[in-house]
Amino acid sequence: MRPHHRTPRLLGTLLLMAAAGLSLAVGSAPAATGPVAEPLGRVIPAPASVEPAGSPYRITRGTHIRVDDSPAARQVGEYLAGVLRPSTGYPLPVTTHGSGGIRLRLDGGRFGDEGYRLDSGPSGVTITARKPAGLFHGVQTLRQLLPASVEKKTAQPGPWTVAGGTIKDSPRYAYRGAMLDVSRHFFTVAQVKRYIDELALYKINTLHLHLSDDQGWRIAVDSWPRLATYGGSTEVGGGEGGHYTKAQYQEIVRYAASRYLEVVPEIDMPGHTNAALASYPELNCDGVAPPLYTGTDVGFSSLCVPKQVTYDFLDDVIRELAAITPGRYIHIGGDEAHSTSHDDYVKFMDRVQPIVAKYGKTVIAWHQITGAHPVKGALAQYWGLDDTSAAEKAQVAKAAQNGTGLILSPADRFYLDMKYTEDTPLGQDWAGLVEVQRSYDWDPGAYLPGVPASAIAGVEAPLWTETIVRNADIDYMAFPRLPGVAELGWSPASTHDWNAYRVRLAAQGPRWEAMGIGYYRSPQVPWPTR
Ligand code: NGO
């Protein structure tokens, strides 16, 4: 096993012991009877630097969570207390006074927008960051340093020990996303919040919501009300579908922001638009509305490119969506426009991208936009495969050389709807089978030939939901692959090591069990025996 980045040999030994299923005494902690703390280097995503040192800190009934006198720092403190109180059974008051304990400190230092430093020793744990987002990510690290049972919702015996030492950490990429397709099957606000909480644990900072497709339009638009009331009235398989009112969407946005995730709403166009075409006959070139669609074919629908009403419609939709979206981006889809001619596709994108800019947002689109004229500042989301043609990859690389940023979501690595093996009961296999190692073991910085490293904005794990219906379905497909996506997005390339990673991943299993997350027990991962 390659030693962990800037990590003393002791840690490697601890990891090997853990892999062998040996129990660990942390630092000079007294021999514990309850669950043991995680070693400092077992966090996912792997921190940039880990230096185990000295004695551990133990959270007790008297521990305070001390925060700077700022509303954002206090909020992060309350969030941490919300995680720790049920399982520890301790009061853990959040306060601006006192000494010792758990301290969340904002400081002008060199931590970047999302970075933090965590120092742990006998007198306390201090997380220091320049911005509240860094404090929040540091809190996720702290969670993972505590025994898995800290995630339970009822009081557990402890002890609640955090290994001693220092972690200095900041992300490799600014964009670290997960997409949920709420169109093929609709997911309630509560279900989306639940997924947000799972994403936050791994420092994912972007939630991309695929809000419209052939099978359903999921966001209320006041100027075109039938989109939601009729276009949203069904889903794959013919279920009743649903849509978010503007207030509900804003609730999702607010909740995501409280977990330091930015919401990227997607309205797919010009293809994947049957739900809109069914709702308004005038959007069709022939003026005839097709029926609602509940199958899983793709590529059969298109907005009418020559008609002016198409752009009046999109101006209204984008204006209303931009007004309830504080984030920087609007995703305009652009994939699989097989029923739109190439010329029409280019014309369409030339007209729509300025509408996004007009309402103050930045365009994201699937990478097919690189076959048109991506506007300055646009991001293209790559969803090709290893065996995507060299010509298509070259087209994407050329756009990247000309300034289009890339979000990497290769379907044969990062699509969470791909089956793990032939036996996976859910999901699809058009992009191949994607086991955990395949998903994790590659480098986004060196993936597409001819793409400058600086063009990679980040990574995203899409979860398409043709076959995904329940929370348990989401969990089973996302875990254990999602933490790998998060690690490729966050951790320096120098920490990348499948053999070390699989051991850290195995240690997450009991945490997911404590959280009620059912996951795929991949044989590639040395899970602890239950
Ligand atoms: C493709 C297609 C989606 C499907 C998905 C299923 C993209 C960008 N368009 O990905 O409509 O749902 O595959 O894996």
Side-chain angles (χ1 to χ4, degrees):
M1 181 172 61
R2 192 149 65 84
H4 193 275
H5 179 59
R6 291 181 58 189
T7 301
R9 182 160 302 151
L10 168 67
L11 183 62
T13 312
L14 290 175
L15 290 174
L16 284 173
M17 286 168 64
L22 300 174
S23 68
L24 301 169
V26 177
S28 61
T33 48
V36 287
E38 297 293 344
L40 213 56
R42 212 144 81 167
V43 175
I44 295 180
S49 130
V50 178
E51 292 160 28
S55 305
Y57 175 66
R58 184 157 169 183
I59 299 175
T60 64
R61 182 163 296 281
T63 298
H64 288 49
I65 297 176
R66 292 197 300 130
V67 297
D68 283 9
D69 195 8
S70 100
R74 178 173 283 277
Q75 244 179 39
V76 177
E78 287 296 348
Y79 169 92
L80 174 62
V83 173
L84 301 181
R85 280 176 191 145
S87 51
T88 60
Y90 300 153
L92 300 171
V94 178
T95 165
T96 51
H97 303 296
S99 62
I102 300 171
R103 169 115 208 256
L104 306 182
R105 207 174 127 244
L106 288 168
D107 178 279
R110 319 140 300 278
F111 307 101
D113 285 347
E114 296 190 288
Y116 67 93
R117 170 182 171 134
L118 183 151
D119 295 284
S120 169
S123 62
V125 172
T126 300
I127 298 171
T128 314
R130 192 162 70 87
K131 297 211 168 158
L135 292 181
F136 187 79
H137 295 319
V139 158
Q140 302 309 323
T141 295
L142 174 58
R143 263 171 97 174
Q144 291 190 29
L145 296 176
L146 287 159
S149 54
V150 79
E151 303 296 342
K152 294 210 169 142
K153 288 286 167 270
T154 56
Q156 306 294 314
W160 308 109
T161 311
V162 181
T166 296
I167 290 176
K168 294 178 201 148
D169 205 6
S170 61
R172 180 179 186 187
Y173 295 117
Y175 188 110
R176 304 179 307 280
M179 186 205 81
L180 186 64
D181 169 10
V182 297
S183 178
R184 268 53 176 274
H185 281 99
F186 182 65
F187 295 86
T188 62
V189 172
Q191 288 179 298
V192 176
K193 286 182 177 175
R194 183 176 184 278
Y195 197 40
I196 289 171
D197 280 330
E198 295 176 359
L199 301 173
L201 176 57
Y202 297 101
K203 305 185 174 78
I204 296 282
N205 68 357
T206 306
L207 175 69
H208 167 185
L209 287 175
H210 185 76
L211 288 170
S212 73
D213 212 302
D214 293 318
Q215 297 86 346
W217 185 286
R218 306 300 180 203
I219 180 73
V221 177
D222 297 333
S223 50
W224 297 76
R226 270 174 65 81
L227 291 169
T229 56
Y230 182 70
S233 65
T234 190
E235 60 186 5
V236 166
E240 70 179 18
H243 70 268
Y244 306 120
T245 63
K246 286 188 171 177
Q248 286 173 327
Y249 173 81
Q250 288 173 294
E251 192 183 334
I252 292 173
V253 167
R254 262 196 311 275
Y255 192 82
S258 77
R259 270 78 178 141
Y260 293 90
L261 279 88
E262 177 173 341
V263 170
V264 175
E266 177 185 356
I267 301 295
D268 206 343
M269 60 184 93
H272 289 280
T273 41
N274 189 77
L277 297 168
S279 306
Y280 289 97
E282 62 266 42
L283 295 178
N284 297 268
C285 282
D286 64 3
V288 180
L292 292 171
Y293 182 71
T294 60
T296 58
D297 286 347
V298 295
F300 60 87
S301 55
S302 180
L303 291 172
C304 186
V305 174
K307 274 191 173 176
Q308 175 58 34
V309 67
T310 298
Y311 308 96
D312 298 341
F313 162 73
L314 290 173
D315 192 289
D316 287 336
V317 168
I318 292 169
R319 173 174 47 77
E320 290 196 31
L321 189 56
I324 53 175
T325 301
R328 292 161 286 178
Y329 304 108
I330 289 196
H331 198 308
I332 56 171
D335 58 319
E336 296 178 319
H338 305 322
S339 301
T340 317
S341 72
H342 176 71
D343 278 1
D344 272 0
Y345 183 83
V346 174
K347 277 186 207 146
F348 177 84
M349 286 301 176
D350 283 348
R351 286 193 70 173
V352 171
Q353 294 180 91
I355 302 178
V356 175
K358 172 175 161 196
Y359 293 111
K361 301 298 179 188
T362 297
V363 167
I364 303 182
W366 299 104
H367 77 259
Q368 280 70 26
I369 193 154
T370 60
H373 310 116
V375 291
K376 196 164 179 293
L379 299 179
Q381 183 167 10
Y382 182 77
W383 61 285
L385 319 173
D386 280 3
D387 60 11
T388 288
S389 73
E392 190 169 336
K393 286 178 181 162
Q395 174 190 294
V396 174
K398 192 161 169 237
Q401 288 155 14
N402 290 332
T404 299
L406 300 183
I407 298 162
L408 296 182
S409 302
D412 55 350
R413 305 219 178 235
F414 272 7
Y415 267 31
L416 297 176
D417 56 316
M418 288 303 123
K419 290 176 182 289
Y420 296 98
T421 71
E422 280 172 7
D423 297 331
T424 306
L426 302 165
Q428 313 200 51
D429 61 4
W430 68 263
L433 300 169
V434 182
E435 251 289 7
V436 181
Q437 182 174 7
R438 177 161 183 83
S439 181
Y440 169 82
D441 214 358
W442 61 287
D443 178 7
Y447 179 68
L448 280 174
V451 169
S454 61
I456 307 296
V459 297
E460 183 176 295
L463 180 52
W464 301 97
T465 59
E466 286 92 337
T467 66
I468 307 300
V469 182
R470 305 166 307 147
N471 290 340
D473 301 346
I474 295 179
D475 291 353
Y476 188 79
M477 298 310 274
F479 294 89
R481 289 181 292 201
L482 175 78
V485 179
E487 176 145 324
L488 265 59
W490 178 281
S491 306
S494 55
T495 63
H496 189 91
D497 177 352
W498 163 250
N499 285 317
Y501 175 70
R502 62 201 279 273
V503 174
R504 282 184 286 121
L505 188 59
Q508 301 285 313
R511 192 164 301 272
W512 300 333
E513 281 162 36
M515 294 171 81
I517 295 175
Y519 59 99
Y520 165 58
R521 291 198 38 114
S522 166
Q524 299 182 330
V525 180
W527 307 108
T529 41
R530 274 173 172 148

